[in-house]
Amino acid sequence: QVQLVESGGGLVQPGGSLRLSCAASGSMFSFYLMGWYRQAPGKQRELVASITSGGSTDYADVAKGRFTISRDNAKNTMYLQMNSLKPEDTAVYYCNAYPTVLSVPYWGQGTQVTVST
């Protein structure tokens, strides 16, 4: 079975940094596509960044210049380095992954990121 395990969330002051990790398992191959989503209370879940098995990345406008997505294919682990965090970045961050191009997407349990003084 496919399983995504997230870590790295927490409380940070504005301007600070956090590094989120997502350990993925259950696929015979390197995960075709992985990404980070976030959802604030009462708001729609939105894509933050994505990365393919080949390392191609895509970022939401709000993340460009501040966030960096990366992955270690040998470990099937994805990361999101978040710098210059703002209060509006506060949300539950979810790991998303497609095991193969033929698969449905899978989701992690979510990790809370709170940016506040």
Side-chain angles (χ1 to χ4, degrees):
Q1 61 180 15
V2 173
Q3 185 175 0
L4 307 177
V5 180
E6 299 166 316
S7 61
L11 175 65
V12 65
Q13 295 183 355
S17 299
L18 284 174
R19 190 194 193 204
L20 306 183
S21 299
C22 173
S25 63
S27 177
M28 181 177 295
F29 310 99
S30 179
F31 281 79
Y32 170 70
L33 179 67
M34 303 183 74
W36 290 97
Y37 285 73
R38 70 185 186 185
Q39 187 170 25
K43 295 188 176 181
Q44 189 175 8
R45 187 173 299 185
E46 63 178 351
L47 175 67
V48 177
S50 63
I51 185 168
T52 69
S53 60
S56 297
T57 60
D58 191 45
Y59 295 91
D61 288 341
V62 70
K64 292 179 180 177
R66 299 191 300 127
F67 296 178
T68 302
I69 189 170
S70 62
R71 64 188 292 172
D72 184 336
N73 288 335
K75 297 180 179 179
N76 272 338
T77 301
M78 177 180 63
Y79 307 94
L80 184 67
Q81 178 67 45
M82 303 187 293
N83 300 324
S84 301
L85 284 163
K86 307 173 182 179
E88 49 264 44
D89 294 318
T90 296
V92 177
Y93 284 71
Y94 296 92
C95 178
N96 167 264
Y98 289 82
T100 73
V101 69
L102 302 176
S103 302
V104 298
Y106 290 82
W107 296 90
Q109 79 284 356
T111 183
Q112 178 70 48
V113 172
T114 302
V115 185
S116 176
T117 57

